[in-house]
Amino acid sequence: EDNLVNRMTGIFAEYPLINAFHQRPRAIDSVDACIKEQNSSGSDFAKVMTNNAYFVQWVEGLVTAAYIMFRGFAVLAGECPLGIYLMDISIISSISKEVETMYGVFVDWEIVCPSLIAITRLMNLPMDVHHRMQINKLHRRHSNEQLHHSHEQLNLDA
């Protein structure tokens, strides 16, 4: 996204040169390449997010399959009651649903974290309000002096 914005800003800044040297097709091609790159990265992100959504379910399937294999032999051998065995599978399923919720929160946090870090950094920068106020006062004073000078010129001309 930044690459596309930077490219567009560059084209707007360089447009008189682009126009003067008839380079519009080249500029359009560079913007098209940036747009394709942006769309590709969005598609890749969607694939990662889809895989993240299924990750916990895949792990649950593996854990459940391993439990069924190892504990199933204990049930067949009569070392574990069937009710306990089925209840354990139900508990594994319940735990996986909670882990899926927690994993979703962690993934969302990872997505939002860079923006939060940038906002926090910007908010913690030193403030220059006093400096800006002084510059604004100088601009107003200068504008008032020019206005006063132009009024004097009009009065002298009349």
Side-chain angles (χ1 to χ4, degrees):
E1 189 173 303
D2 291 338
N3 189 19
L4 180 60
V5 170
N6 291 337
R7 185 65 202 134
M8 292 300 295
T9 303
I11 287 175
F12 288 137
E14 299 166 356
Y15 187 75
L17 288 172
I18 292 170
N19 193 30
F21 290 100
H22 307 291
Q23 295 298 314
R24 279 185 269 172
R26 183 176 287 172
I28 291 170
D29 290 342
S30 72
V31 170
D32 283 344
C34 288
I35 290 172
K36 287 178 183 175
E37 180 183 325
Q38 174 69 23
N39 290 342
S40 172
S41 66
S43 175
D44 293 343
F45 179 74
K47 289 175 188 174
V48 168
M49 292 307 294
T50 300
N51 284 334
N52 281 340
Y54 289 110
F55 175 72
V56 175
Q57 295 173 7
W58 293 336
V59 172
E60 176 199 3
L62 291 173
V63 169
T64 303
Y67 183 81
I68 288 172
M69 281 182 41
F70 294 116
R71 192 69 168 177
F73 290 122
V75 171
L76 291 176
E79 298 170 1
C80 176
L82 182 61
I84 299 287
Y85 173 73
L86 295 175
M87 183 180 66
D88 288 346
I89 292 175
S90 175
I91 290 170
I92 291 171
S93 178
S94 297
I95 290 172
S96 73
K97 297 220 183 323
E98 296 304 319
V99 169
E100 186 174 0
T101 302
M102 291 179 354
Y103 185 74
V105 169
F106 290 138
V107 168
D108 291 343
W109 178 256
E110 285 295 318
I111 292 169
V112 175
C113 199
S115 299
L116 290 174
I117 289 170
I119 289 171
T120 304
R121 186 183 60 80
L122 290 173
M123 289 177 69
N124 288 325
L125 288 175
M127 292 181 52
D128 62 345
V129 174
H130 183 68
H131 179 68
R132 287 177 188 251
M133 285 175 38
Q134 288 177 344
I135 291 173
N136 193 9
K137 285 179 184 177
L138 288 173
H139 285 295
R140 280 191 306 218
R141 186 179 311 136
H142 183 68
S143 296
N144 288 339
E145 289 173 0
Q146 283 182 341
L147 183 64
H148 182 67
H149 182 68
S150 64
H151 283 303
E152 286 177 356
Q153 290 293 330
L154 287 175
N155 289 339
L156 290 176
D157 291 340

